[in-house]
Amino acid sequence: RVWANPGTDHYWVMAEESAKALTAHGVRPDQIHIKGIPISTHFLEPVDRSAIQKKLELGEHRLTILFTGGSFGMGPTEEVLNSFSELKDKVQAIVVCGQNKILLHALNNKKFLFPVRLLGFVDNMHELMSVSDLLVAKPGGATACESLVKSLPMIMASPIPGQESQNADWLASHQAAFKVTNPSEIVTIVKHMVQNPDSLELVKNAIKTVAKPNATKDLADFILEQTRL
């Protein structure tokens, strides 16, 4: 309801559910545009997957799992990484710790049985997503939309009640992501993906039905059009 404000001319939203919520709070339907959330155009640029894998010293034939916890690197990352030990020949991980230097230091002092690439704060998330097969992250709006544009299946962990939990429910209802309530569930999903590689394609197909990769251009075009009226 904090979105619905007097004086706002247009609302640019991701889903029909958002439009219904706005109309319930008095916004006219003609003010609402279900066109998707704008993200950096870097996520639309083609990337050389092999070159990035080499730069990050990643293998080409392992399931690559990308961990992000927002800029502060929150979440049960160490616990989940430990649970992958029995998949040591099948997986590798990229962990973005953000500003969480304590987590980065703790993981740097651990030895894992499979490749783990540790990073602090990054500005090339589009590249990291391009070389990953699964994303473990909080379902914030920007992260969710970026993963959809990159057709990267997401395991949604530790959502903040409210917007993030609603994002998780919406993505899970469209089978475009996995929602977990306990970190132990993550290894079960990863095991399934290792044993059934085709399952990833099923999720990617579901992602295509909800992703809105042209949201940024559509919004820019719309704004320019309004200035000409």
Side-chain angles (χ1 to χ4, degrees):
R1 61 179 175 270
V2 297
W3 290 3
N5 294 295
T8 299
D9 297 309
H10 299 279
Y11 296 83
W12 202 264
V13 302
M14 182 70 186
E16 183 68 37
E17 289 84 348
S18 299
K20 290 179 179 177
L22 285 171
T23 55
H25 285 90
V27 178
R28 301 193 317 271
D30 64 293
Q31 293 179 279
I32 305 169
H33 310 271
I34 308 172
K35 294 286 190 174
I37 305 303
I39 61 173
S40 169
T41 54
H42 286 310
F43 289 87
L44 295 172
E45 297 170 356
V47 299
D48 186 334
R49 182 181 171 99
S50 294
I52 297 169
Q53 286 174 327
K54 289 179 181 178
K55 182 171 69 174
L56 294 172
E57 299 179 345
L58 297 173
E60 294 185 6
H61 305 295
R62 290 173 177 264
L63 188 79
T64 305
I65 305 149
L66 172 62
F67 288 79
T68 72
S71 61
F72 293 99
M74 303 302 287
T77 307
E78 184 175 350
E79 175 186 344
V80 176
L81 287 171
N82 288 333
S83 72
F84 294 159
S85 295
E86 57 188 293
L87 299 170
K88 63 182 186 297
D89 297 323
K90 303 292 185 181
V91 302
Q92 59 192 351
I94 305 169
V95 182
V96 178
C97 298
Q99 305 285 12
N100 191 334
K101 294 181 180 179
I102 295 175
L103 176 63
L104 181 60
H105 178 74
L107 295 180
N108 259 322
N109 288 328
K110 286 189 64 68
K111 290 189 179 296
F112 296 98
L113 300 177
F114 53 92
V116 177
R117 185 74 167 92
L118 299 174
L119 303 169
F121 188 83
V122 301
D123 59 5
N124 64 332
M125 190 61 72
H126 60 292
E127 292 184 340
L128 302 181
M129 287 188 175
S130 295
V131 297
S132 301
D133 301 300
L134 279 171
L135 169 65
V136 179
K138 290 161 56 63
T143 299
C145 290
E146 289 164 358
S147 68
L148 292 175
V149 167
K150 298 301 289 185
S151 293
L152 177 61
M154 179 164 58
I155 300 175
M156 303 173 292
S158 306
I160 296 172
Q163 178 191 334
E164 288 190 356
S165 60
Q166 290 171 356
N167 290 346
D169 291 341
W170 182 77
L171 288 165
S173 71
H174 287 84
Q175 299 180 314
F178 302 94
K179 183 174 70 170
V180 298
T181 56
N182 190 298
S184 63
E185 298 174 66
I186 296 175
V187 69
T188 302
I189 295 171
V190 172
K191 280 182 182 178
H192 179 75
M193 293 302 170
V194 167
Q195 296 166 359
N196 304 276
D198 291 344
S199 298
L200 276 173
E201 292 304 315
L202 293 176
V203 183
K204 289 181 179 181
N205 288 336
I207 286 173
K208 291 175 184 176
T209 66
V210 296
K212 293 181 171 60
N214 297 318
T216 304
K217 183 179 184 304
D218 288 344
L219 178 56
D221 288 344
F222 177 80
I223 293 170
L224 289 173
E225 181 183 335
Q226 298 307 302
T227 65
R228 300 188 185 107
L229 296 178

